[in-house]
């Protein structure tokens, strides 16, 4: 059931992180910018988060150097590790986080996704990319 949902972001250039070690390696050891998407099967991920991520990345002049994703409810240890890097924000899925040199610099929580239309999320991401990438 989740294979096509997972593939949606992979086809857009996101690397699927499956283990806590992969998550910590990327988020702690990558210089430059990393965009992390916590994917899920919920409706707001399907109708807003994934489409906004794909459009923002494909249409931005400045982009994160690395795109990664974890899947909430699937690889629970990898997601738990990602959420440690998202503190002090509470667990949220879907959510989108931008890291620069290992530091969390921008966060879009689920309530930002649910409460906005897709283009507002794209604009939010473009602004973060312009500032940090």
């Amino acid at each position: 059931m989740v294979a096509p949902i997972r593939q949606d972001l992979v086809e857009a250039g996101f690397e699927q992180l499956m283990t806590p070690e992969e998550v910590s390696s990327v988020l702690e050891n990558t210089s430059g910018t990393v965009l992390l998407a916590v994917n899920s099967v919920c409706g707001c991920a399907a109708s807003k988060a994934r489409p906004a991520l794909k459009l923002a990345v494909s249409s931005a002049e400045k982009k994160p150097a690395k795109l990664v994703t974890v899947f909430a409810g699937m690889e629970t240890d990898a997601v738990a590790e990602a959420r440690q890097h998202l503190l002090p924000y509470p667990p949220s899925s879907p959510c989108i986080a931008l890291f620069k040199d290992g530091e969390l610099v921008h966060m879009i929580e689920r309530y930002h996704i649910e409460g906005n239309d897709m283009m507002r999320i794209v604009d939010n991401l473009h602004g973060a990319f312009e500032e940090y990438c």
Side-chain angles (χ1 to χ4, degrees), residues 27-106:
L27 296 182
E28 294 170 11
N29 300 319
T30 301
S31 61
T33 51
V34 176
L35 184 65
L36 168 69
V38 177
N39 201 354
S40 75
V41 297
C42 74
C44 65
S47 66
K48 296 179 182 181
R50 287 191 303 274
L53 281 161
K54 293 186 299 183
L55 182 57
V57 169
S58 68
S59 63
E61 289 185 28
K62 292 182 174 182
K63 303 175 190 203
K66 189 161 188 68
L67 308 172
V68 297
T69 183
V70 294
F71 206 110
M74 297 303 297
E75 293 75 38
T76 55
D77 293 339
V79 173
E81 179 65 25
R83 287 182 171 153
Q84 288 299 309
H85 293 274
L86 299 175
L87 292 173
Y89 295 96
S92 175
S93 55
C95 69
I96 304 164
L98 184 64
F99 293 83
K100 184 168 186 173
D101 298 327
E103 179 184 344
L104 178 62
V105 294
H106 189 76

